[in-house]
């Protein structure tokens, strides 16, 4: 594959940095840290440009927080300026190229893909095949090996200044609290999403080109293979485990082969050949969110536009599945009508 070069000037161009600011600031213009940058935007972007061109940029210190939904994870947070703006500036240039490398059935963090598209694809396979192999990579983001990631990046890019910048960003996780040296791409970084996709694109390529499997899809570190032959699925699982361990230094936390009629728990839903149900944990989160919206409305502590967006999100999740009874029990149509009445 041809390696891409001559990208540095496009990344550091003021026009690209301005676009990166707008993208990083979406739905955050009200935040003090964003307003502070915007007040002196031209000056701050010129400062960032000079820092990049001199090779002096270093990733800022991370702040961390622990979240518990849908599972316990540590999120790493970088300052809005300069780091989050810089990540968008890099991906403004790299995303079209890197996205073009991905297989059709890779659904995470890509325009036009996402969870619902992945869910629809899962239903297509479930209607055509009798069995599924479901696999999860164990502690994927914390297990990403820096040396392996850098070697993958170098097979795609040859711009020396950009490679030096990406190396610095990759290695920045070594300074995170409790870091294992040479491992981890921090969850929460915009670039980490793409590093993760690039890393597991190696698995996608192996499955498609070496195993020659057509009915395969992946979302982040969860992936599915389908077949009418259980023995074939188990053989593929063995070869995938070997590939992950030897080439990517990863391990599986789960590998299961079962009939599709048992229901495939994937992307927040349970997929059967003829219908989709909302996963129990997802339904519980939706119930909690709707109850929270009602409490905030009663107290007057939520903006109507915010509540409108949250209800639309909940209805979108439920509308993708056979969940009329759940929607009715939550009285979502009535809540939506009440909120719409205040935002009209």
């Amino acid at each position: 594959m041809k390696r891409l070069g001559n990208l540095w000037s496009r990344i550091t161009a003021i026009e690209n940095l301005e676009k990166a600011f707008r993208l990083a600031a979406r739905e955050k213009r009200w935040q003090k840290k964003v307003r502070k940058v915007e007040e002196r935007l031209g000056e701050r972007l010129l400062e960032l440009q000079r820092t990049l061109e001199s090779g002096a940029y270093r990733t800022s210190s991370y702040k961390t927080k622990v979240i518990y939904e849908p599972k316990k994870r540590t999120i790493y947070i970088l300052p809005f300026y300069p780091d989050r703006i810089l990540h968008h500036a890099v991906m403004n240039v790299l995303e079209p190229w890197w996205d073009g490398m991905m297989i059709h059935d890779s659904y995470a963090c890509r325009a036009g893909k996402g969870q619902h598209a992945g869910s629809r694809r899962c239903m297509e396979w479930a209607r055509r095949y009798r069995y599924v192999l479901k696999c999860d990579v164990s502690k994927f983001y914390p297990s990403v090996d820096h040396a392996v990631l850098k070697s993958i990046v170098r097979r795609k890019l040859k711009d020396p200044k950009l490679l030096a910048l990406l190396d610095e960003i990759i290695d920045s996780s070594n300074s995170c609290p409790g870091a294992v040296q040479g491992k981890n791409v921090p969850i929460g970084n915009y670039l980490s999403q793409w590093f993760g996709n690039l890393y597991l694109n190696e698995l996608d390529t192996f499955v498609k080109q070496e195993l020659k499997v057509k009915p395969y899809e992946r979302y982040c570190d969860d992936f599915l293979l389908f077949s009418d032959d259980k023995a074939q699925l188990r053989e593929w699982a063995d070869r995938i485990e070997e590939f992950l361990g030897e080439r990517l230094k990863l391990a599986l936390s789960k590998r299961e082969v079962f009939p599709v009629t048992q229901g495939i728990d994937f992307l927040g839903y349970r997929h059967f050949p003829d219908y989709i149900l909302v996963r129990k944990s997802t339904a519980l989160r939706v119930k909690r969110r709707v109850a929270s919206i009602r409490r905030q409305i009663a107290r007057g502590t939520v903006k109507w536009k915010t509540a409108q967006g949250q209800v639309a999100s909940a209805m979108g999740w439920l509308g993708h599945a056979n969940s009329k009874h759940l929607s009715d029990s939550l009285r979502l149509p009535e809540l939506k009508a009440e909120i719409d009445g205040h935002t009209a």
Side-chain angles (χ1 to χ4, degrees):
M1 176 180 287
K2 180 182 177 182
R3 292 190 301 155
L4 202 61
N6 302 315
L7 301 173
W8 188 248
S9 61
R10 291 171 57 190
I11 288 171
T12 60
I14 286 296
E15 296 80 9
N16 184 50
L17 296 179
E18 289 174 346
K19 179 181 178 182
F21 166 79
R22 292 194 300 272
L23 291 172
R26 279 182 305 187
E27 300 180 5
K28 300 182 181 72
R29 293 300 251 274
W30 57 273
Q31 294 180 1
K32 183 177 179 180
K33 59 192 174 187
V34 177
R35 294 202 311 268
K36 187 174 180 181
V37 173
E38 193 167 22
E39 287 169 0
R40 299 166 51 204
L41 184 59
E43 180 182 341
R44 302 307 296 274
L45 294 184
L46 282 171
E47 179 185 19
L48 175 56
Q49 183 187 56
R50 288 193 294 268
T51 302
L52 291 170
E53 289 179 342
S54 69
Y57 170 81
R58 296 295 180 270
T59 300
S60 303
S61 297
Y62 289 92
K63 293 182 179 179
T64 62
K65 73 174 182 180
V66 177
I67 63 171
Y68 296 90
E69 294 290 350
K71 59 184 178 181
K72 183 179 178 181
R73 293 182 297 170
T74 300
I75 303 298
Y76 297 83
I77 305 165
L78 285 172
F80 176 77
Y81 178 89
D83 305 272
R84 282 191 259 169
I85 295 174
L86 171 61
H87 285 208
H88 278 279
V90 170
M91 289 315 304
N92 286 345
V93 175
L94 288 185
E95 181 173 349
W97 174 256
W98 280 0
D99 187 73
M101 299 176 186
M102 306 294 166
I103 66 168
H104 175 80
D105 287 311
S106 167
Y107 287 93
C109 312
R110 299 175 65 198
K113 300 293 183 177
Q115 290 170 286
H116 286 168
S119 173
R120 287 191 292 271
R121 188 61 155 169
C122 178
M123 288 298 291
E124 288 182 35
W125 300 130
R127 290 176 178 132
R128 292 172 57 183
Y129 295 93
R130 295 172 59 196
Y131 302 104
V132 61
L133 165 65
K134 184 177 186 298
C135 297
D136 298 344
V137 177
S138 177
K139 300 178 180 177
F140 170 59
Y141 284 100
S143 301
V144 169
D145 185 272
H146 291 181
V148 174
L149 176 58
K150 290 176 185 178
S151 71
I152 293 170
V153 170
R154 276 162 172 73
R155 295 206 306 272
K156 318 298 184 186
L157 303 172
K158 61 181 180 181
D159 188 308
K161 290 184 178 179
L162 177 55
L163 288 172
L165 174 65
L166 295 178
D167 283 353
E168 199 286 328
I169 294 171
I170 291 168
D171 290 335
S172 68
S173 68
N174 289 333
S175 63
C176 293
V180 176
Q181 298 299 296
K183 297 279 188 179
N184 191 22
V185 287
I187 300 172
N189 274 2
Y190 181 44
L191 261 170
S192 291
Q193 300 174 15
W194 280 97
F195 285 149
N197 252 353
L198 202 63
Y199 205 84
L200 286 181
N201 184 59
E202 301 292 300
L203 168 65
D204 301 340
T205 303
F206 171 75
V207 170
K208 288 292 188 179
Q209 295 184 4
E210 298 295 324
L211 301 185
K212 301 189 183 304
V213 179
K214 181 179 179 181
Y216 164 82
E217 67 174 298
R218 180 179 61 80
Y219 187 94
C220 292
D221 53 356
D222 297 343
F223 56 94
L224 307 172
L225 292 82
F226 294 81
S227 176
D228 289 325
D229 185 343
K230 286 196 290 185
Q232 177 70 83
L233 289 172
R234 293 190 182 102
E235 179 186 335
W236 287 339
D238 289 341
R239 294 191 62 186
I240 286 170
E241 279 206 280
E242 181 180 7
F243 173 84
L244 288 172
E246 292 183 357
R247 297 280 292 278
L248 299 181
K249 300 185 180 180
L250 298 172
L252 292 178
S253 61
K254 181 186 296 182
R255 52 172 281 185
E256 301 175 287
V257 175
F258 54 90
V260 296
T261 52
Q262 181 178 314
I264 305 164
D265 192 348
F266 189 57
L267 299 176
Y269 298 98
R270 196 164 186 85
H271 303 79
F272 297 84
D274 298 318
Y275 59 95
I276 304 174
L277 298 179
V278 177
R279 181 192 290 165
K280 289 182 179 179
S281 59
T282 303
L284 181 60
R285 285 199 301 274
V286 171
K287 289 178 181 178
R288 288 172 176 168
R289 173 60 61 86
V290 171
S292 174
I293 295 169
R294 285 198 163 93
R295 287 194 300 271
Q296 291 178 72
I297 289 174
R299 297 183 194 128
T301 57
V302 65
K303 295 179 179 178
W304 289 107
K305 280 288 186 182
T306 301
Q308 187 178 46
Q310 292 174 339
V311 169
S313 175
M315 294 185 76
W317 267 102
L318 299 185
H320 184 71
N322 300 77
S323 57
K324 184 178 185 303
H325 292 307
L326 176 57
S327 182
D328 289 347
S329 71
L330 294 173
R331 305 195 318 279
L332 278 176
E334 294 94 326
L335 180 59
K336 180 179 183 299
E338 176 189 353
I339 294 171
D340 288 348
H342 286 85
T343 56

